[in-house]
Amino acid sequence: MDQHRASRNDPCPCGSGKKYKHCCLREEAEAHAPRPSPTITDLQGKSKKRPEYPIGTVALYAVNRNGS
């Protein structure tokens, strides 16, 4: 880890007297843009609509064992 970087529990380098996690760490976290959600594409790279159910959802179907 970088020696000049403040950890969460160190005093804030801005001189406020607060811990870094209660002072400038929050401001830095808010300054970063949130991660964009991934896009869904088919094998050719064309955009696809999001599925109605989340990926990995298992649908249960009733099986008619009478043969009719």
Side-chain angles (χ1 to χ4, degrees):
M1 191 156 123
D2 189 4
Q3 295 295 330
H4 300 290
R5 185 174 162 197
S7 68
R8 296 180 72 235
N9 291 317
D10 288 343
C12 191
C14 74
S16 67
K18 297 180 181 180
K19 286 187 177 182
Y20 179 63
K21 66 182 175 183
H22 293 299
C23 190
C24 292
L25 179 64
R26 291 182 182 175
E27 293 171 8
E28 288 180 13
E30 291 172 0
H32 295 291
R35 291 176 52 181
S37 61
T39 57
I40 298 175
T41 58
D42 62 8
L43 294 175
Q44 287 76 33
K46 298 176 185 173
S47 293
K48 292 184 75 173
K49 187 178 97 178
R50 290 202 169 271
E52 183 178 344
Y53 299 101
I55 296 172
T57 303
V58 177
L60 300 175
Y61 297 97
V63 177
N64 187 353
R65 297 184 187 258
N66 303 15
S68 55

